Amino acid sequence: VASGLATALSRESGTGFRNRARHAVYRRWGEDMDAQSIRQMENACRLPVSVAGALMPDAHVGYGLPIGGVLATRNVVIPYAVGMDIACRMKMSVLDMPVSSIRSEEGRLRKALEKATSFGVGGGFSPRKNHPVMDEDWSFSPVTRQFRDKAAYQLGSSGGGIHFVEFGTLTLKQDDLGRKAGVYCALLSHSGSRGTGGQVATHYSRMAMTLHRELPRELAHLAWLDLDSNAGQEYWLAMELMGRYAAANHHLIHRDIARALGVEILLDIENHHNFAWKETHFGEEAIVHRKGATPAASGAIGIIPGSMATPGYVVRGRGNPESMNSASHGAGRRMSRTAAKNTYTWNDGRKFLAEHDVVLISAGLDEVPMAYKDIHAVISTAQDNQLDF
């Protein structure tokens, strides 16, 4: 459903901010969205720096820009439109082991998971793991300089909340991705740039809001940094470093699990979200923020997971210009974390997981599958004109 900004918004008084005469337009996919997410997208299109937007079918409320929101801007970057967990990403490895081992060797797989990565907000490793990303320059920003040691400690860890590492199967219905049609044992992970990425996001978001005090309250979290400024360049370099750091985390997790099991990795696929890219859209160069949205340029391979008890999808982008080459990044929440905790019990969650033949090692109640949208509906919406799979 195409959706622009049909309602004229009155000028703000006393803030120095004036609404554009004509707001940037956005395209929306899907109907299962809360009014607040839509309002956040519309607010983003009020910014004087906005070019265009897109709202993915898994959209739900975030800080400033909704999760599942895509926003193109002119020569500025919006830290909150990138997201708090910079460069959060998906990675899948196909392992050279029989699918039957998921059940027959459950104990060994569990030990491999627990040994090769660390879960929880403060999780890390001592002794620390090694990766060339830690040999890069971390001194250009006061944040990366201050938190480099923490990043080194957390290298190879997964974090908590929505982040996970799991074993499952990949089904190829036809020959593709360099493999024959069939069912394969696969390892899937979802995590980002850990505590240091969060510190980068917090520091530069506050800086942007300080620089743009003229923004009304509902737009404050959409404050931007000019890329021609020192602050904008500093954030951009930090964001890109956090992207490489997040990739390093996943590389180590998959490598060390494969080593613990004594198996080879036959194929790996990965993509990230919560990032900003310099791209050309609608005839001009723009900064494209994909906050909880997957890059889906023509032919690009991506991973869109469901909840812990529903399938994920390996997809190929169609390069739809209206979505600015973007697609969903998951099922998307249908209720807040607080609402999930107040609505369900672990008896509900365990029953649902048992019905779907899922063994859960650990998770928070706010991550029960019932708190998420139907991944099949999300994918069906995107399949119309965004994705092939």
Side-chain angles (χ1 to χ4, degrees):
V1 177
S3 176
L5 298 182
T7 305
L9 299 171
S10 62
R11 290 186 172 187
E12 311 299 326
S13 59
T15 65
F17 174 81
R18 295 293 183 268
N19 278 303
R20 299 161 50 140
R22 187 175 183 180
H23 302 141
V25 297
Y26 74 96
R27 173 72 189 269
R28 184 176 110 199
W29 280 265
E31 299 296 331
D32 184 18
M33 295 183 191
D34 60 279
Q36 192 174 348
S37 296
I38 296 171
R39 191 177 305 116
Q40 286 187 320
M41 191 74 241
E42 293 179 346
N43 280 338
C45 291
R46 295 168 57 191
L47 297 176
V49 295
S50 294
V51 174
L55 198 57
M56 302 297 104
D58 61 334
H60 54 284
V61 174
Y63 286 107
L65 193 68
I67 298 165
V70 180
L71 185 68
T73 59
R74 289 187 179 93
N75 201 45
V76 303
V77 62
I78 302 172
Y80 266 129
V82 168
M84 290 300 293
D85 189 6
I86 299 172
C88 189
R89 62 200 295 121
M90 301 298 308
K91 184 177 176 68
M92 172 183 286
S93 293
V94 171
L95 304 177
D96 186 16
M97 58 190 299
V99 169
S100 60
S101 63
I102 296 175
R103 283 289 178 261
S104 65
E105 299 186 64
E106 181 183 317
R108 192 165 76 98
L109 270 59
R110 180 191 295 252
K111 288 180 181 178
L113 284 178
E114 294 172 343
K115 178 181 178 181
T117 189
S118 175
F119 296 96
V121 173
F125 288 96
S126 183
R128 298 173 179 185
K129 298 194 175 189
N130 297 312
H131 190 279
V133 73
M134 298 311 306
D135 298 326
E136 295 189 33
D137 179 15
W138 288 64
S139 66
F140 59 85
S141 160
V143 188
T144 54
R145 182 168 59 249
Q146 178 182 350
F147 289 95
R148 182 188 178 281
D149 190 64
K150 181 174 185 176
Y153 170 69
Q154 293 191 322
L155 185 64
S157 62
S158 294
I162 195 173
H163 299 142
F164 63 82
V165 184
E166 65 184 24
F167 289 98
T169 59
L170 170 66
T171 301
L172 293 178
K173 295 181 179 179
Q174 59 189 32
D175 295 356
D176 204 349
L177 305 175
R179 311 304 306 176
K180 294 289 187 182
V183 182
Y184 296 86
C185 182
L187 177 69
L188 182 65
S189 58
H190 174 220
S191 59
S193 48
R194 303 293 285 110
T196 303
Q199 292 293 336
V200 169
T202 298
H203 176 84
Y204 290 99
S205 294
R206 289 175 178 169
M207 183 182 294
M209 287 190 284
T210 299
L211 291 170
H212 292 283
R213 295 184 185 277
E214 79 281 6
L215 292 174
R217 179 179 298 178
E218 69 272 18
L219 302 185
H221 285 122
L222 292 166
W224 61 86
L225 298 171
D226 194 311
L227 285 178
D228 290 333
S229 69
N230 289 335
Q233 283 296 309
E234 201 173 87
Y235 172 79
W236 192 268
L237 291 172
M239 178 193 72
E240 291 191 321
L241 176 60
M242 291 301 94
R244 295 189 294 276
Y245 175 73
N249 285 332
H250 285 262
H251 168 76
L252 292 173
I253 291 167
H254 286 241
R255 183 201 69 182
D256 291 350
I257 288 176
R259 285 181 176 177
L261 295 173
V263 299
E264 297 294 322
I265 294 176
L266 303 177
L267 166 71
D268 63 68
I269 304 167
E270 60 186 304
N271 62 262
H272 58 303
H273 42 270
N274 288 14
F275 210 70
W277 290 260
K278 294 179 179 179
E279 299 176 355
T280 298
H281 294 282
F282 310 111
E284 62 178 292
E285 183 177 84
I287 305 302
V288 180
H289 305 73
R290 293 187 177 93
K291 184 178 182 179
T294 300
S298 181
I301 302 298
I303 307 164
I304 301 179
S307 69
M308 67 174 72
T310 57
Y313 289 80
V314 175
V315 299
R316 183 175 280 109
R318 289 186 179 177
N320 187 329
E322 291 185 295
S323 71
M324 290 175 282
N325 299 343
S326 308
S328 304
H329 86 308
R333 299 193 72 91
R334 69 177 185 89
M335 63 173 62
S336 70
R337 296 182 182 279
T338 300
K341 291 177 181 178
N342 291 336
T343 303
Y344 298 107
T345 67
W346 268 120
N347 285 336
D348 301 320
R350 292 189 188 97
K351 180 180 178 182
F352 194 99
L353 293 169
E355 290 172 351
H356 292 77
D357 194 29
V358 173
V359 175
L360 178 65
I361 297 175
S362 179
L365 185 58
D366 53 338
E367 287 297 319
V368 292
M370 301 82 78
Y372 283 84
K373 297 179 183 180
D374 180 0
I375 185 62
H376 305 292
V378 168
I379 292 294
S380 178
T381 300
Q383 189 179 13
D384 290 341
N385 50 22
Q386 290 176 303
L387 300 170
D388 291 314
F389 50 89

